[in-house]
Amino acid sequence: MIFVLVLAIIGAVFMAFNNGANDVANAFASAVGSKALKLKHALVVAAILNFFGAILLGGNVSATLINGVIHVGMFSDVSSYIVGMLSCLIASGCFVLLSTQTGLPVSSTHALVGSMIGIALTLGGIKSINWVYFVMLTFSWICCPFIAATCSLLMIKNIKFLIFRMGENGVLKRTCQWVPFLGCITLGIVAYAIKNGTALKRLIIPHLCLIFFLIIFPISYLILHKIAKQIAKQSEETFHGAERVFRRFQAGTSCLVGFAIGSNDVANSITPVLAIYFVMKNHAIPVTFDQYTIPVWMLAIGGIGMSSGVLALGYKIIRTLGHRITLLTNSRGFSVDFATATTIIISSMLGIPVSSTHAATGAVIGVGLDNGLNGLNLPLLTKIFLTWIVTVPMSAIFTITIFHILNFVVSLIL
């Protein structure tokens, strides 16, 4: 049993590594593309923030995935179920790794769900899949890039209206007024999400939250406003000077995106090993996993694996999203980060396993649409969209193949 659990943890680290290399890199693609951060700095900060996002909010989405995609109660053979979950880890990890090597931002959420569907069809047949949940999940995947794109487009339009439309005269003053306000809104969303996270949910008295935010928001604004003024003193009264202020603040918003992606995507790495852990602990497959609490050490394993992945291979996806889809200025990058973080964090709070890849790509497309379709690399986007479509069926095929191979190996050993 210990050997199987260790094997499952290794599989989870493998999946988390590839997840980090592909999905977590989305967090800092816009910051690197707009030159707010150097690539090496972006990779390190993404790894750290991703780890904390996984610890504080990762359990919400894991709980949804482990119960939602397949009807667990329909499985009776413990050994086959464990081998099936191992197959999910290996197959989804391999698919994401192949996509990363080609520089294509795919969804690890799609890969894991496709793998779970493949194993469900193999072990339990078509009735073992929760098709209602799968349709709802697919709908959320479709909506996610559109929501992020709309959010980023509205943000860049508002920035232009509030800051840039009145010309260069007074542009720094307007930037110092509005950028801290927008930053405070983002911080508020993150703080509220942490308060409702798995690890901190019982540590904060709900009635004190409103008082806390009423106090912290104006204090945060004053601090950020002072920082903005200090940056503005070193900048010229031009649009370029205003973009310099955005550049410094975008480094902060990118950190929030790294945190957000960790909160949602760690579930893709630990859900199968979580299922194996509870099945082995109880020597049976439960009807539901709702009554179990996700161990923090398991979230930490996922966070460490994802952080390692972004450090090792994250540069490949950063180059695609940060440079090749559309031209990113610092105000545009700020808008991308705001939209991506908001979309992912709200989804994590609700326990919805959305694709951070979809959110980040949709947000980049949104700011690109500010200049019309000519501002987008349409051939590359077509290639990315096609990859998204084939992720679920290809992951399912990978999983079925690996499951039969593992079963054959186990039969030889026994």
Side-chain angles (χ1 to χ4, degrees):
M1 288 177 64
I2 294 174
F3 173 75
V4 173
L5 183 60
V6 170
L7 192 64
I9 291 173
I10 293 172
V13 173
F14 172 70
M15 175 56 180
F17 178 89
N18 295 302
N19 191 358
N22 199 290
D23 278 21
V24 181
N26 300 330
F28 286 82
S30 61
V32 174
S34 61
K35 297 180 173 59
L37 284 173
K38 293 182 179 179
L39 177 60
K40 59 182 180 181
H41 297 154
L43 293 174
V44 173
V45 178
I48 295 171
L49 269 295
N50 166 255
F51 175 78
F52 284 105
I55 291 293
L56 295 175
L57 282 178
N60 293 345
V61 178
S62 300
T64 301
L65 273 179
I66 198 171
N67 285 303
V69 179
I70 57 180
H71 295 296
V72 184
M74 296 188 69
F75 299 94
S76 56
D77 187 350
V78 172
S79 298
S80 295
Y81 183 77
I82 290 175
V83 173
M85 291 298 104
L86 284 172
S87 303
C88 288
L89 286 170
I90 297 170
S92 55
C94 288
F95 182 85
V96 176
L97 177 61
L98 290 173
S99 302
T100 303
Q101 292 298 334
T102 59
L104 289 173
V106 298
S107 170
S108 57
T109 308
H110 289 198
L112 178 64
V113 171
S115 294
M116 294 181 75
I117 287 176
I119 212 63
L121 289 173
T122 304
L123 296 178
I126 196 168
K127 291 182 179 180
S128 63
I129 300 172
N130 187 346
W131 290 108
V132 174
Y133 176 82
F134 178 70
V135 170
M136 293 173 61
L137 194 59
T138 304
F139 181 73
S140 73
W141 291 343
I142 295 172
C143 291
C144 179
F146 288 100
I147 293 171
T150 302
C151 186
S152 64
L153 180 59
L154 290 175
M155 177 60 77
I156 192 62
K157 292 288 187 185
N158 281 324
I159 288 173
K160 283 186 172 182
F161 178 80
L162 296 171
I163 298 174
F164 294 123
R165 76 180 179 93
M166 288 177 274
E168 293 188 337
N169 187 26
V171 68
L172 282 179
K173 182 180 179 181
R174 295 191 296 273
T175 304
C176 292
Q177 288 174 340
W178 285 104
V179 172
F181 178 78
L182 298 173
C184 283
I185 293 175
T186 311
L187 283 173
I189 293 172
V190 174
Y192 184 80
I194 292 174
K195 190 273 295 183
N196 285 280
T198 304
L200 296 182
K201 201 166 187 177
R202 296 181 178 89
L203 300 182
I204 301 177
I205 301 173
H207 296 89
L208 294 179
C209 292
L210 182 59
I211 299 174
F212 173 77
F213 286 120
L214 289 175
I215 295 173
I216 207 69
F217 190 93
I219 293 176
S220 299
Y221 178 82
L222 291 174
I223 294 173
L224 294 178
H225 181 64
K226 188 173 182 179
I227 294 172
K229 288 178 70 175
Q230 290 296 322
I231 299 171
K233 286 180 181 179
Q234 305 168 18
S235 307
E236 62 274 15
E237 188 70 36
T238 61
F239 291 139
H240 178 73
E243 290 286 352
R244 190 174 183 275
V245 178
F246 272 106
R247 180 182 300 177
R248 297 291 181 265
F249 274 82
Q250 192 194 348
T253 54
S254 293
C255 292
L256 300 181
V257 180
F259 176 88
I261 292 179
S263 72
N264 199 281
D265 281 12
V266 70
N268 304 330
S269 311
I270 69 166
T271 294
V273 72
L274 190 66
I276 293 171
Y277 173 73
F278 288 132
V279 167
M280 292 177 63
K281 189 175 181 180
N282 295 279
H283 305 285
I285 302 172
V287 177
T288 178
F289 289 93
D290 287 336
Q291 71 270 29
Y292 298 111
T293 302
I294 299 171
V296 175
W297 63 265
M298 201 171 289
L299 293 171
I301 287 174
I304 291 170
M306 291 169 70
S307 299
S308 303
V310 72
L311 285 171
L313 296 175
Y315 66 93
K316 293 178 178 287
I317 303 303
I318 284 178
R319 286 173 179 169
T320 299
L321 285 181
H323 298 285
R324 295 174 59 193
I325 292 180
T326 189
L327 177 66
L328 290 175
T329 61
N330 295 114
S331 56
R332 287 178 159 213
F334 183 92
S335 303
V336 169
D337 289 342
F338 177 86
T340 305
T342 302
T343 303
I344 296 172
I345 288 176
I346 291 176
S347 300
S348 296
M349 289 166 56
L350 298 174
I352 301 173
V354 298
S355 167
S356 57
T357 302
H358 284 196
T361 307
V364 172
I365 292 172
V367 296
L369 287 174
D370 184 47
N371 292 330
L373 290 177
N374 292 330
L376 297 172
N377 185 343
L378 294 179
L380 175 60
L381 287 175
T382 302
K383 190 176 180 180
I384 291 173
F385 291 155
L386 289 174
T387 307
W388 289 357
I389 292 172
V390 302
T391 297
V392 171
M394 286 301 297
S395 296
I397 294 171
F398 271 35
T399 305
I400 294 170
T401 304
I402 290 173
F403 173 76
H404 287 299
I405 293 173
L406 287 179
N407 255 348
F408 177 71
V409 171
V410 170
S411 65
L412 288 179
I413 294 174
L414 298 178

